[in-house]
Amino acid sequence: MEDGASPMHISTPYEDPAPRVLQDPIGVNLAVDIDGAPEHLRQGLQQIIGSHNVAYFVRAGSAPAEHVWNVRFEHTEDVASGTFDVRSIAAGQAPQITVRYNRTIDAFRALGQVLTAARAAEVAALNNTDALRTPDFTIAEQAQFETLALMIDCSRNGVLSVNSVRAMLRNMALMGYTMLQLYTEDTYKVEGEPFFGYLRGGYTQDELRSIDDYAFAMGIEVVACIQTLGHLGQMLQWPRYAGLRDTNEVILSRAPETYAFLEKLIKAASAPLRSKRIHIGMDEAYGVGEGRFRGLYGQVEGTAIFVEHLGRVHAICAQLGLRAMIWSDMLFCLAAKNNALYAYYDQSNNPAEALSRVEGIPSDIDLVFWDYYHTQPEIYARKIQQHKELGCERPWMAGGAWTWSRLWCHVPFSFESNRASLVAAKSDSGRVSSFMLTIWGDEGNECDFFSALPVMLYVANHAHTDKHEIDAAFMENAFAAICGGSLGDWMAASSVDELPQATDMRTQMPSNMSKWLLWEDPMLSFMSPQYTGLALDEHYACAATRLLDCALAPSTRYPLNRLLRMPGLLARVLSLKCNLRDRLARPYKAGDRTALLQVAETRLRPLIEAQRELWLYHRARWMRIYKPFGWETLELRYGGLAARLHTMYDRIVAYALRAPCSALRRSRAIGVAAGVSRHPALLPGRPMPSDSMPVDSVDVCDSVTVAPGPSMSADIGSGLSVGEVPSWLPSITSADSSDDPAATSVGLGWPVTACTPALPTCSIPACGPLQTSVDTACAPAPLPVMTALPALSTHPADNVTTINALGVRELGGEGDFWLQPAPLLPPELDPQDSFPRDIGCLGEEDTALDSVIDSIPELEEDLLCIYENSYTSLLLDYGRVTAPSRLG
């Protein structure tokens, strides 16, 4: 491939780079000699082997694979810094792998390469079994940069938990990263400043110290990454800091109190860390000197303000023994008097002349050039040269994993843009000594940062070779062995942001169409004209099928694939939401109320359930990897979308049935369900477990005994009262409450046949899909119905847990709190189904219940009651609502 061509990953982004023919179980294990390793490696090796989420290591209590390779480490000064060599020696039944290294991080990068070699040997063993029994290989690499850094945004709502940071560090070590920067605008604690990072989940000093210790054991330097000029709006919003405000986002330069405060910030951020380097930010400080500064100090040229402020902050760092770095964009934007990114990347814009008119920047300040957009190496090389002309002999290059403003990392474009910057950074004309990969979370941090793992691996592999391309099979093997995922499947996840067919809409940044399609108003649907003629619903349906199949398939080889549930659920929502307005507009304009109702029941109702499941999983994943602070921002988005979908459904159904919404709310009854549910209890043909519910306890006569839907009563203390059965429902017999109204119970049964009378056009059978006409007098309902259940005890209250009436909302109630079957969990969340319980989870030290926690959303007490078993019992009382309790 030519040096200027796109990498192979971009040319076929949604197909496996190599056919995935390997099956479980793993064919080879690595037995690492921790006790015999150099002392400085032991703790780091224990961290990785004890907690990392791959199946290739021999662990205590686990049965080893058929073939075992013994791995030993040898520290030597004979190997240059940034290099290592790995040699395999066939020694009887257990081959010996020797790793010779200099730097600590090189030993862990070498271990990652041995893992990759084990995976490659499994592939080779498909044709030659000796590849596993007697491996014969050598590995030697040369790091292309003195520093290979990863920066993670912890300021846009999502603050990674300490366990998640540790999981990232384990991956970084096996990939060969030497530095971690946690970008914290106000998300770290400062003594005496309670409003700094108020309600933002900032890191404590102990947490930062713990992260630093964990990283140090694997040879990774943790560097504070803060802001000292712009991007301080979260802090400046509080009256406590009104005196430090220049604009809403920019701190006041030149004021003495500003520098006393910044010294506190720099001390707090750097004190828990071993590193004597610090990133002090200063990017995108738009409007510097244009707010309160102008009123206090008059009109001053922007570059002069910036350089003066930089000098004073640099002096604070120097006094504390810290070497500082800054983002370089403001030097270019201020010189061009243009805040747009165009000014930063304009090849003709060189701020050297503007800086010549002021004192200049300190010589020991490192400039970080960030560019995440271009795909031609020469553009990066020319800009790097301009940084050197500013007097910065050792500029940094920063690329980006495209995680911001989207729900899943766009891997293909991240590969393409980072390839260009890496090729430039390794070239003679643009060579730099340090490269940084950034992971940003703009617009609420909706994205799972672990979705950037393929990009992290791609950049790391590029940073350890002088070549311009990375072999496809090597990347596939490395991602499977180091991270535990299938690269082809993870590449396919980016299809949520790609059009199903080529268009002329390509720009210098990848689409984030899934974000727009998810949050756009479903009724107004202003995006729909832009994809007219594109079968986006089919595109997303195919994507959902593939991704959910990958996520739910049990596999010890690809445990990381379970994280593909997030883009899979997203794709499922979009498959129902795309073109929904058009599907509804056509019958509405034609006056076809039956067709309108059919769309509402077969697409809108399933969309409501799919959106709920996405919300629950996203919430669970957030609580799993981030601190809880910040989730409220995303939950408001989900809540707004859910409310609009419910309103849309109610209005359409009311129009189709010629009934006001309020009448529908009062008249809905138990037994009306959406046409399709993935829960096994709603799938016909599943056998009914005899130990939970005897067959003869289910009433399957001409009508089904149910309790009609209650509605809220205005009487104080009355709780719920029973409403009337709507006339448009099939024949439903109310539960006989003559003996004891408080003991009326109903529940969700297994599939049974319920007979209903002939239905007129546009009727909805109980718990069945929409039917426009029924010719027979007794039609079997393909889905189960709400059936009468036997009493559990002579004292029903002994078997239930009383909850507040508002808890009915978790049972599907809304408005006047009618009662319906709750949106149910998919089959993989059914507690009666088996879970793989031996797979570790990224971001979690305790792995015993990892897959269960990953699979089941954070079930609060009321949801836990509802979903505790497939059988639930509801006790209806005029004075209270009781939650379901387990039967059997």
Side-chain angles (χ1 to χ4, degrees), residues 65 189 209 365 398 520 576 596 605 677 777:
K189 300 296 184 182
R209 193 172 294 110
I365 288 283
E520 73 163 342
L576 295 166
L596 197 62
R605 283 289 297 182
S677 172

Side-chain angles (χ1 to χ4, degrees), residues 402-458:
W402 276 79
T403 52
W404 59 94
S405 305
R406 62 191 65 246
L407 283 83
W408 194 258
C409 179
H410 197 288
V411 175
F413 189 85
S414 299
F415 282 178
E416 193 171 1
S417 59
N418 280 288
R419 175 196 174 275
S421 61
L422 283 158
V423 168
K426 295 188 291 185
S427 68
D428 292 337
S429 59
R431 179 167 292 279
V432 298
S433 60
S434 301
F435 189 93
M436 178 191 296
L437 177 67
T438 61
I439 299 178
W440 296 103
D442 300 43
E443 297 184 14
N445 200 58
E446 296 158 326
C447 188
D448 185 337
F449 280 169
F450 285 95
S451 66
L453 282 172
V455 186
M456 291 170 54
L457 181 62
Y458 180 82

Side-chain angles (χ1 to χ4, degrees), residues 478-495:
F479 189 66
I482 293 174
C483 302
S486 166
L487 182 62
D489 295 335
W490 280 63
M491 296 284 285
S494 296
S495 63

Side-chain angles (χ1 to χ4, degrees), residues 410-637:
H410 197 288
V411 175
F413 189 85
S414 299
F415 282 178
E416 193 171 1
S417 59
N418 280 288
R419 175 196 174 275
S421 61
L422 283 158
V423 168
K426 295 188 291 185
S427 68
D428 292 337
S429 59
R431 179 167 292 279
V432 298
S433 60
S434 301
F435 189 93
M436 178 191 296
L437 177 67
T438 61
I439 299 178
W440 296 103
D442 300 43
E443 297 184 14
N445 200 58
E446 296 158 326
C447 188
D448 185 337
F449 280 169
F450 285 95
S451 66
L453 282 172
V455 186
M456 291 170 54
L457 181 62
Y458 180 82
V459 168
N461 286 339
H462 231 299
H464 285 84
T465 179
D466 58 0
K467 300 183 183 304
H468 291 182
E469 308 297 342
I470 305 299
D471 179 72
F474 174 70
M475 272 293 295
E476 169 73 9
N477 291 332
F479 189 66
I482 293 174
C483 302
S486 166
L487 182 62
D489 295 335
W490 280 63
M491 296 284 285
S494 296
S495 63
V496 298
D497 281 324
E498 290 289 346
L499 292 171
Q501 58 202 58
T503 68
D504 296 329
M505 298 171 62
R506 179 66 180 269
T507 64
Q508 283 188 318
M509 53 186 70
S511 163
N512 61 346
M513 57 187 291
S514 64
K515 176 186 177 79
W516 288 84
L517 292 171
L518 177 64
W519 300 130
E520 73 163 342
D521 186 90
M523 187 77 86
L524 304 179
S525 191
F526 69 93
M527 285 279 291
S528 58
Q530 300 187 47
Y531 58 82
T532 300
L534 297 176
L536 283 187
D537 46 359
E538 297 177 7
H539 166 70
Y540 282 117
C542 292
T545 298
R546 173 175 181 175
L547 295 174
L548 290 175
D549 285 348
C550 294
L552 302 179
S555 173
T556 57
R557 187 174 298 282
Y558 300 111
L560 193 74
N561 271 16
R562 69 185 181 275
L563 300 190
L564 296 177
R565 183 176 298 166
M566 178 67 190
L569 293 175
L570 173 62
R572 192 173 71 182
V573 168
L574 299 184
S575 72
L576 295 166
K577 193 167 187 247
C578 288
N579 299 312
L580 177 61
R581 185 183 184 279
D582 291 341
R583 290 175 182 269
L584 291 166
R586 287 194 297 269
Y588 173 76
K589 293 177 180 178
D592 189 343
R593 295 175 186 252
T594 299
L596 197 62
L597 185 59
Q598 184 170 8
V599 175
E601 289 297 333
T602 59
R603 293 192 70 86
L604 187 48
R605 283 289 297 182
L607 171 58
I608 292 172
E609 303 304 327
Q611 183 268 345
R612 176 183 171 86
E613 189 178 344
L614 174 63
W615 159 60
L616 287 173
Y617 181 78
H618 197 172
R619 182 179 71 182
R621 187 62 187 156
W622 180 284
M623 299 304 173
R624 185 74 165 152
I625 61 177
Y626 301 110
K627 295 187 177 185
F629 300 93
W631 174 248
E632 69 280 356
T633 298
L634 302 192
E635 194 142 64
L636 286 171
R637 297 176 189 177

